[in-house]
Amino acid sequence: MASLTFLGAVGEVTGSRYLLEYHDGGREHRWLLECGLHQGGPDADRANAEPFGQLAGQLDGVVLSHGHLDHAGLLPKLVREGFAGPIHCTRDTAELLDIMLRDAAFVMAKDIEWDNKWRRKAGKPLLEPLYELDDVERTLARCVPHGYGQVVSLGGDASLVFRDAGHILGSAIVELGVPAGGRQRRLVFSGDLGNPDSVLMHPAEKPRDADVVLMESTYGDRDHRPLEETLEEFAEVLEQAHAAGGNVLIPAFAVGRTQEVLYHLSVLYHQGRLKQQRIFLDSPMAIRVTELYARKKAALNRDDLKVLNVAAQGDPSQYLPGLRLTRTVEESMAINRIHGGAIIIAGAGMCTGGRILHHFRYNLAKPGTRVVIVGFQAAGTLGRALVDGAERVKVLGEALMVKARIHTLGGFSAHAGQRELIGWIGAFRNTPRVYLVHGEPGAQQRLQAALAESGIQAEIPRYGERITL
């Protein structure tokens, strides 16, 4: 018998984790599909701190769909607690993990150092990091990279294939062949499916055969606004900010969204529609990822790259001449002396930490400021509070009035919308069992109803639920 247990991204978007168990070759095999960080407030922190227990030493290995932290951010903790198996991922995911996990360990150490200062004064117990840089090094050494379409043996009759998910660099749809009931059962996990309108990425592949499908449902309750309309709104927001004399703050999702925003800013510049002369990419991780994207041009959409080449007459340095990369803390702090006319792209994407918080302190209470939200904001995050219209928020321990205008540009999402999700699952030739994951309850229920109207039955699993394959 083969089974799958839902251990994360159930009733929430983040914290991806699924346990696959099966018998083969006379013994029990256990594989972890994803090992993601929960994001969004104290509940997420408690979930991340929960020990893996005996599971860490029992696993044969881990399979990753892509490098975003909500899918891979707890890997070093798993290694710290005793995991010593292979971590299968795509080649580009392995390179992204080298950047993202190191940054996560660094930011975590800084955050805990900050928290422990007041804890020490208050006589409270000091916090320990989930993992440290040494754990990251050991994790990266366990990564086994593969190309798209390559059939990978997991030992015995089990196999793995990665397909392009079109979400970020290296993102994959995971196809697992698992021995069960005298034959191989096929489990397909969508990972995060890309938005067809997103630039730089290829369209997501559409597998045709599966017995069981786990499909993300982040935007299961809506279709995205057409990209053309989103770009027009983006240009208008930039124009309004320039006229109001304020800065534009864009919380940066370091992988994918930042590179897409830079692309569109470049196009606006070469159309003569970008008034702002100073654009700051104020995120060391986003800078390193952007440099990786530049080195990985062969993996990106050729047609989109042609647009940049034509716009800049073939000179890469002219894609966006006003762009400044601020790597050091001193350079970041200097930006806060600029009271208007700048575009500041800074981490983190859900405003849960990073340099964007410091820019909020100096800009959020100014009516001329524009905050542009370009990605999903999980429940419990500061970004979600801003999207929901909070008039006052706490930033770095300080209460701030929100007088800036908040703009949510859903067309920039790197996730498939409801229409694309239905089209993707509808491409399967047989009738697989479908389970909706990576979505908040309302979004999942609306997608479930929309799928039913298309003749597709889908289930919404509970945390800890175990199904047979």
Side-chain angles (χ1 to χ4, degrees), residues 189-258:
F189 171 47
S190 68
D192 284 350
L193 294 172
N195 180 352
D197 278 346
S198 294
V199 295
L200 302 177
M201 296 294 102
H202 298 287
E205 293 186 50
K206 292 184 176 180
R208 294 291 188 254
D209 298 297
D211 295 292
V212 175
V213 177
L214 310 184
M215 184 172 74
E216 69 125 320
S217 52
T218 308
Y219 288 97
D221 57 346
R222 73 196 93 158
D223 289 323
H224 296 308
R225 193 176 184 186
L227 182 60
E228 295 77 14
E229 294 179 17
T230 298
L231 293 177
E232 280 304 309
E233 183 180 355
F234 188 37
E236 289 172 13
V237 170
L238 298 177
E239 178 71 33
Q240 290 169 13
H242 178 75
N247 290 322
V248 178
L249 307 183
I250 306 178
F253 289 84
V255 185
R257 220 68 47 84
T258 290

Side-chain angles (χ1 to χ4, degrees), residues 362-399:
Y362 287 88
N363 292 275
L364 209 53
K366 298 177 181 177
T369 300
R370 301 294 186 269
V371 178
V372 179
I373 302 293
V374 295
F376 186 84
Q377 305 296 309
T381 62
L382 173 57
R384 181 62 164 267
L386 292 173
V387 168
D388 289 344
E391 296 180 357
R392 184 186 293 268
V393 295
K394 183 171 279 190
V395 177
L396 297 173
E398 180 181 350

